Amino acid sequence: MLFHGMINTYELPIKGNGVLLMPTTKKPLKVRQIERMKEKEYSKTYLQRKQERQEEPNNYPLTRLILIKDFFRTPDLYKAIGFFFSIQIIIAVIAAGVNHPKYAGALNLLAIILGIVIVTLSIRTINRRQRLDPTRRKFKLSRVLFITTVMLIALFLVTYFYSLIGITMSAQPNQMSLNLLFTIYPVAMVFTVLFVSPIIEELVFRELLPFATGPSYLSFVIASLIFIALHAPYGIMGWTSYGILAAGFLYARLKDNNVYTAIAVHMIWNALALIV
C-alpha cells in the first residue's frame, strides 16, 4: 500500500494476515550520538552485560569478571596510561630546568602550556562521560567541605595515635623531590599541584582505570591501591596517610557519582598541603 504525498513517499509493509505495520521511528540525533559515545567509551562486554542485567550506572557489583582480551581492548586503559604519564612529562619538563638553568624559563612556560592542554582534554573527557550517566549528581560544595573535614580529623587522630606508640611521620621521598622543585619554580609547580595533578589523577584512578575492567567496587579499590603505591609512601605512617587520602577521594567519587566532587576534595587537600 502506497501513500503519495507532496514531498515524500512512504511504503507501509503488510504482514501476510493483512495487519498493517507502522514504520519504526528513527531515534533522535542526540540519542544516537550518546549511543555512539557509549560504544567508544565502554567495552562491548560491559555494555552487553549491563543491558542484560539492567544495571543502574552507579549500582556497581562487588566484583566483575572480564576477559583479558577485553581488558586490553578497552580505550579506558590506554587513556588512563596516557593521562598518567602526561603528569610525569610535565614534572620532568619542570625538573629539566634544574640541570639547564639557562632554559628554565622556557621549560616552565612549556610545562604550563602542556598542563593547560592536558587539563582541557581531561575536562572534555570527564564531561563526555558525565553526560553518558544520568545518575551523576550535581556538584555540592558542602559535601566537598564535609569530606575534607572528615579526612583532616581522621589524619589527626591517626597521627596522634601513632605518636603515642612512638611512630612519627617520616619524610616522604615523593614529597621531598616536589618540595625541591617548589623552592626553585613555584609558579609552574603550584599550577601543576593545584590544578593539573588533581584533575588528571582523579580521572585516571577514580574513573578510567576502574572502568577498564568494567566498574565494580573491587576495581575502584584496586585503582585506589595503585594510586597509593605510585606515590611511593615510606613507612607505616606514610601508607596510612595516603590510605586516608585515597579513601576520601574514592568516597567523594562514589557518593555523588561525580568525578568533580573528588577533584574538588583533591584540590583543597593539595592546597592545604602547600600552606601547611
Side-chain angles (χ1 to χ4, degrees), residues 77-266:
L77 174 63
Y78 301 102
K79 288 180 182 179
I81 294 173
F83 278 118
F84 174 76
F85 278 105
S86 67
I87 306 179
Q88 314 310 315
I89 292 173
I90 292 174
I91 295 177
V93 170
I94 298 174
V98 177
N99 298 325
H100 305 281
K102 185 186 299 185
Y103 307 105
L107 290 171
N108 275 260
L109 180 60
L110 175 60
I112 293 174
I113 294 174
L114 287 174
I116 293 173
V117 172
I118 294 169
V119 165
T120 302
L121 293 175
S122 301
I123 291 176
R124 288 185 60 185
T125 302
I126 294 171
N127 289 341
R128 188 184 304 120
R129 298 174 74 91
Q130 300 260 104
R131 286 196 298 268
L132 298 179
D133 193 340
T135 67
R136 305 272 185 171
R137 297 177 182 173
K138 292 183 179 180
F139 175 84
K140 292 182 179 180
L141 180 59
S142 58
R143 195 183 305 279
V144 171
L145 296 177
F146 173 76
I147 295 173
T148 306
T149 303
V150 172
M151 291 169 61
L152 287 170
I153 294 173
L155 184 61
F156 172 78
L157 292 177
V158 168
T159 304
Y160 177 72
F161 172 76
Y162 279 141
S163 66
L164 293 178
I165 58 178
I167 298 177
T168 57
M169 182 68 168
S170 303
Q172 301 298 309
N174 178 56
Q175 194 62 40
M176 291 173 61
S177 59
L178 291 178
N179 289 341
L180 175 62
L181 293 177
F182 268 116
T183 57
I184 305 175
Y185 309 114
V187 176
M189 285 302 299
V190 166
F191 173 72
T192 301
V193 171
L194 288 187
F195 297 100
V196 181
S197 178
I199 293 174
I200 295 179
E201 287 185 353
E202 294 310 310
L203 172 61
V204 170
F205 296 105
R206 252 65 70 178
E207 182 72 17
L208 293 175
L209 273 185
F211 274 81
T213 58
S216 66
Y217 289 114
L218 180 61
S219 67
F220 277 103
V221 171
I222 292 175
S224 292
L225 291 176
I226 296 174
F227 166 82
I228 297 172
L230 289 176
H231 281 78
Y234 178 76
I236 185 173
M237 188 62 193
W239 281 93
T240 305
S241 300
Y242 278 106
I244 292 174
L245 266 63
F249 299 154
L250 180 57
Y251 177 80
R253 162 65 178 82
L254 294 177
K255 179 62 178 177
D256 283 344
N257 196 23
N258 192 324
V259 185
Y260 286 115
T261 304
I263 289 174
V265 175
H266 201 150

